[in-house]
Amino acid sequence: MRMGPFAAGRWAILAVALSLAACSTPAPRVVVRPAAESRDQIVAGSLHWPDARSLPPGAHAEVTLLATGPAGQRLLTQSDAPAEKAPSVFGLWLPAGTLQPGQPYQLLARIVDAAGHVLWALPAPLALDAASATLPLTLSLQRPITIVAGKPAPAAAVRSDQTEMFVAQGDRPSHWRAAILGNGAQRQLRAELDARTDARLYRGVTRKQLANGAVVFTANHGWVSLILTPGTCVQGAYRFPWSAMLEITGATFHGCARGMF
């Protein structure tokens, strides 16, 4: 494919920026199409994970950009590139005008092996707007937490393929995170109360919609509850569509939430 001078220059600038973001670490090859026009929009950055060992043969990085809103989620674009070791760089090309100011977007990223098993992933979709999406992004991936039979296992040892229907997180009174996995009779609640304790997994979670629009998830015979209240919730530089309150083991945690409702 032949590139015009503007597209070639844009690609060269992206390569330099990503190289600097990766602290001069040689970056693996990225399989993305070059921008056809200099006015195209690009979402680019690097994926990092703590394991310094090389990934198994056939591993690749999947990065997905979604448009979100009251009507649900819509796939905008996806990149699937070979991955060998951290960091792994990515670039998503979009036609001019795709990202609109004031509209919410989400970015998902994960590393999978040749069989499709998730090795590393973002702990939750990253909320973006048109301005932040076009800045160089540095994404920190974690081991996926999954479900095993019996009592909850330590976070590093648990595996699961159930979809996170929504994620709540906050920093009051500690940095916590909770997720609802699956739907209906298979619905489960996973809670991480701080960085020092293992993840807790609760099965048989019920869902109730209140008249004011709030959604309540309950587990462990009512001793554990997660309450989502509609309305803008600000956390750092990001805005979320729900406020969240987790009540567990006699403690209350406050934060924000996003997800598929």
Side-chain angles (χ1 to χ4, degrees):
M1 179 184 295
R2 226 177 134 185
M3 292 190 294
F6 291 108
R10 185 178 180 85
W11 182 259
I13 292 172
L14 170 64
V16 172
L18 292 180
S19 179
L20 291 175
C23 300
S24 301
T25 302
R29 182 172 62 93
V30 183
V31 183
V32 293
R33 70 174 183 83
E37 300 290 344
S38 60
R39 64 178 179 272
D40 282 1
Q41 295 175 314
I42 181 171
V43 177
S46 56
L47 307 178
H48 299 253
W49 55 94
D51 195 336
R53 293 174 298 175
S54 298
L55 296 170
H60 53 284
E62 297 178 353
V63 182
T64 304
L65 182 65
L66 302 172
T68 62
Q73 296 181 328
R74 179 169 58 91
L75 175 67
L76 291 181
T77 186
Q78 189 173 55
S79 170
D80 189 339
E84 298 176 359
K85 60 182 179 180
S88 177
V89 298
F90 67 91
L92 302 173
W93 301 93
L94 299 161
T98 301
L99 301 178
Q100 294 294 319
Q103 298 300 313
Y105 303 96
Q106 285 185 349
L107 194 70
L108 290 74
R110 62 181 189 172
I111 304 290
V112 301
D113 63 17
H117 300 123
V118 180
L119 304 175
W120 301 94
L122 273 180
L126 177 65
L128 297 171
D129 56 25
S132 61
T134 53
L135 298 174
L137 301 171
T138 301
L139 307 180
S140 297
L141 309 185
Q142 300 178 11
R143 287 283 190 192
I145 297 177
T146 59
I147 301 168
V148 295
K151 63 181 182 180
V158 196
R159 294 187 60 85
S160 173
D161 296 325
Q162 277 199 286
T163 302
E164 288 187 340
M165 300 307 294
F166 100 95
V167 173
Q169 60 191 44
D171 54 12
R172 292 183 293 155
S174 61
H175 289 282
W176 63 275
R177 183 178 185 273
I180 291 295
L181 306 170
N183 250 325
Q186 303 302 315
R187 184 184 295 116
Q188 302 178 3
L189 186 153
R190 185 184 65 221
E192 301 163 59
L193 304 185
D194 56 51
R196 300 182 302 275
T197 58
D198 295 337
R200 305 181 184 192
L201 188 63
Y202 301 91
R203 297 173 173 81
V205 178
T206 61
R207 180 185 188 276
K208 183 178 181 180
Q209 181 98 32
L210 304 183
N212 65 353
V215 180
V216 180
F217 295 98
T218 306
N220 198 21
H221 307 290
W223 290 99
V224 175
S225 65
L226 190 59
I227 303 172
L228 308 179
T229 305
T232 301
C233 180
V234 178
Q235 195 172 99
Y238 301 108
R239 294 178 178 270
F240 299 83
W242 302 77
S243 296
M245 183 173 69
L246 173 67
E247 295 182 333
I248 186 170
T249 61
T252 301
F253 299 80
H254 297 274
C256 302
R258 58 178 174 263
M260 299 181 292
F261 289 92

